[in-house]
Amino acid sequence: MTLSPSLSNKLFRTVGAASVALLYSTLTIGAAITPTAAEARSSGPYYTVELAQPASESRMIVRGTVFRCEGTSCVAGKGTSRPVVMCQRLAREVGPITKFTSKGNELAADKLAKCNGK
């Protein structure tokens, strides 16, 4: 079976357009999901915590955020709660917290006291 020239040209144009659209979609989705340099640099812990006493567990989940602890130090990625709320919930699990930092900003003394229920 042979295709007529007009049908053959139409088929190649349609296939060509579909191929270009697929390539464009692949490239734009790839660019959208690739982390930026800023995101790559901020891949360290969002929360850093110092406890008054060593944690009893090396891993705990607080409000959907995984905290990894070693001795009196804990770290975690970003959660969905405000820092004071996250600190309060963690303090309920591990006891008094002496220092709570989120994104490099340490909680003020009054907020740390609130975190520890004082």
Side-chain angles (χ1 to χ4, degrees), residues 56-78:
S56 59
E57 297 181 35
S58 63
R59 180 180 174 266
M60 62 195 79
I61 300 173
V62 178
R63 296 205 41 101
T65 303
V66 178
F67 280 85
R68 298 194 184 283
C69 300
E70 188 173 303
T72 59
S73 298
C74 299
V75 294
K78 186 176 181 182

Side-chain angles (χ1 to χ4, degrees), residues 3-95:
L3 295 175
S4 70
S6 64
L7 183 59
S8 177
N9 287 339
K10 204 180 240 185
L11 179 65
F12 285 123
R13 278 186 292 198
T14 304
V15 170
S19 298
V20 169
L22 181 62
L23 177 64
Y24 177 77
S25 297
T26 302
L27 291 175
T28 55
I29 289 172
I33 62 173
T34 301
T36 64
E39 290 170 332
R41 281 193 304 272
S42 66
S43 62
Y46 187 84
Y47 301 112
T48 55
V49 183
E50 285 299 320
L51 309 174
Q53 52 194 325
S56 59
E57 297 181 35
S58 63
R59 180 180 174 266
M60 62 195 79
I61 300 173
V62 178
R63 296 205 41 101
T65 303
V66 178
F67 280 85
R68 298 194 184 283
C69 300
E70 188 173 303
T72 59
S73 298
C74 299
V75 294
K78 186 176 181 182
T80 57
S81 298
R82 292 178 296 128
V84 173
V85 173
M86 188 64 75
C87 183
Q88 288 172 326
R89 297 293 170 96
L90 182 62
R92 287 182 195 158
E93 297 287 326
V94 298

